[in-house]
Amino acid sequence: MNTAVPRTEDAGDIARARPADALGTSAAQARSAVLEELIRKDPGRFRVLTGDRPTGRLHLGHYFGTLHNRVRLQELGVELFVIIADYQVLTDRDVADNLLQHVEELVLDYLAIGVDPARSTIFTHGAVPALNQLMLPFLSLVSVSELNRNPTVKDEIAHSRQSAVSGLMFTYPVHQAADILFCKANLVPVGQDQLPHLELTRTIARRFNDRYGAGSTVFPQPDALLSSAPLLLGTDGTKMSKSRNNAITLAATADETARLVKGAKTDSERHISYDPVTRPEVSSLLLLAALCQGRSPEQVAAEIGSAGAAVLKKVVTESVNEYLAPVRVRRAEYGRDRAHLRAVLSEGNERARAVADATLAEVRAAMNTCY
């Protein structure tokens, strides 16, 4: 496993579409197009940090939203760090229920979709003390008002399960900055709603370099690889979510998938058409079938025509089950050896600790706190 720091970008690369200040959406989109070309030319220059909270099994929304992109980047030769953010489970809940089970289920999902632990590092917050220790100097680099203004945190607080939010929720973006910067990741796949978090990470990196770098760059300012992930609704027509029981998980059987799709919300119009604005539920089902078939939702809709919702659901069920069949086979194989899952995590934790320890040592040297 290569744990060398990714190479910095050439000045010419930086000049192309690099926003001068904040990562606005249009600037991030332009930059992402440049990044995709750079990845194709030289994937070894990039290190990616991505991950999930262990709060339940991953579903098709996760898969088409982020998971398949991780495997794509891995296969291109990009170095991948995948964090299982166990500490961040506590940002919006009082206790972390069934944490060990959820962590193992995430590892199982990762292996089943093709994340290769020989080429990518899968690890947890709790097993990497030096990562979490970076939060202390990082918190000194941002103001309370800056944390207060973060729109993503405001939204997460508004939808929190708790009657009163904890300090961990408030400092969540700084914890994410530690996640990204501990391994000096220079590329972070995100959706538009996560851009404010990444901009704060860039700010922390820049301020640390300015304050303690003595003319050198301790931390890169990571780029956003903006996701063009499709929006898949849950079977009840609302946002697909682990907590709403409206999602088809990667662990679902073929029969469970058929039952879930059969109960999916549609509308009263018999003719099937792709119109996300006026027919969101039908369009989401069409999109799901299309993603599994590698075609456009309009093509799928044209084939179904006036056959109605029953045929649409049949097409979706068959498409999903065929697409997930190899994933389910691999998942069942890996699931028979829980010791292997723990070994994968143990090895990933060891790699991540080595990287984090080296970064913390560099931070302490820069801050003159080596006693």
Side-chain angles (χ1 to χ4, degrees), residues 57-83:
R57 289 174 169 175
L58 299 177
H59 52 65
L60 284 173
H62 295 121
Y63 179 82
F64 287 113
T66 62
L67 299 178
H68 81 295
N69 193 40
R70 297 176 192 177
V71 176
R72 177 185 74 91
L73 291 169
Q74 172 191 267
E75 295 307 308
L76 287 173
V78 174
E79 187 177 10
L80 191 67
F81 277 70
V82 184
I83 186 167

Side-chain angles (χ1 to χ4, degrees), residues 195-309:
L195 285 175
H197 278 341
L198 188 58
E199 184 56 33
L200 186 64
T201 299
R202 290 165 55 83
T203 297
I204 288 171
R206 184 170 60 250
R207 288 176 182 172
F208 189 94
N209 293 337
D210 290 344
R211 187 174 299 182
Y212 301 111
S216 63
T217 299
V218 178
F219 292 110
Q221 293 184 50
D223 272 304
L225 187 64
L226 200 59
S227 169
S228 57
L231 176 62
L232 288 172
L233 299 179
T235 53
D236 59 356
T238 65
K239 179 182 178 181
M240 190 175 290
S241 170
K242 287 183 280 190
S243 62
R244 296 182 184 182
N245 296 317
N246 66 353
I248 300 170
T249 67
L250 301 182
T253 66
D255 288 342
E256 288 170 341
T257 299
R259 177 179 55 79
L260 288 165
V261 174
K262 184 178 180 180
K265 185 179 179 181
T266 54
D267 57 36
S268 58
E269 187 175 339
R270 184 167 182 80
H271 185 80
I272 301 302
S273 61
Y274 183 68
D275 186 349
V277 175
T278 62
R279 306 187 71 188
E281 297 92 354
V282 167
S283 296
S284 183
L285 289 172
L286 285 168
L287 178 58
L288 178 53
L291 288 167
C292 292
Q293 295 179 18
R295 300 197 301 162
S296 74
E298 289 85 358
Q299 289 174 315
V300 178
E303 287 187 358
I304 298 172
S306 298

Side-chain angles (χ1 to χ4, degrees), residues 95-248:
V95 294
D97 293 324
N98 303 316
L99 192 55
L100 177 59
Q101 177 186 344
H102 289 327
V103 168
E104 287 188 355
E105 288 293 314
L106 281 190
V107 177
L108 191 50
D109 283 335
Y110 295 154
L111 297 180
I113 65 166
V115 175
D116 181 358
R119 291 181 288 170
S120 299
T121 302
I122 302 171
F123 67 103
T124 63
H125 267 150
V128 189
L131 182 163
N132 297 290
Q133 194 170 337
L134 288 174
M135 277 191 70
L136 295 176
F138 287 178
L139 279 168
S140 74
L141 298 171
V142 295
S143 67
V144 171
S145 61
E146 285 175 313
L147 293 175
N148 239 342
R149 287 197 302 267
N150 189 297
T152 310
V153 170
K154 287 182 178 179
D155 182 68
E156 288 168 348
I157 289 174
H159 293 88
S160 172
R161 297 181 177 188
Q162 296 173 303
S163 57
V165 299
S166 69
L168 187 59
M169 172 69 86
F170 194 64
T171 59
Y172 180 49
V174 181
H175 203 181
Q176 282 200 330
D179 295 343
I180 296 165
L181 296 178
F182 97 93
C183 64
K184 301 193 177 182
N186 55 7
L187 194 62
V188 185
V190 294
Q192 291 185 15
D193 63 326
Q194 291 292 311
L195 285 175
H197 278 341
L198 188 58
E199 184 56 33
L200 186 64
T201 299
R202 290 165 55 83
T203 297
I204 288 171
R206 184 170 60 250
R207 288 176 182 172
F208 189 94
N209 293 337
D210 290 344
R211 187 174 299 182
Y212 301 111
S216 63
T217 299
V218 178
F219 292 110
Q221 293 184 50
D223 272 304
L225 187 64
L226 200 59
S227 169
S228 57
L231 176 62
L232 288 172
L233 299 179
T235 53
D236 59 356
T238 65
K239 179 182 178 181
M240 190 175 290
S241 170
K242 287 183 280 190
S243 62
R244 296 182 184 182
N245 296 317
N246 66 353
I248 300 170

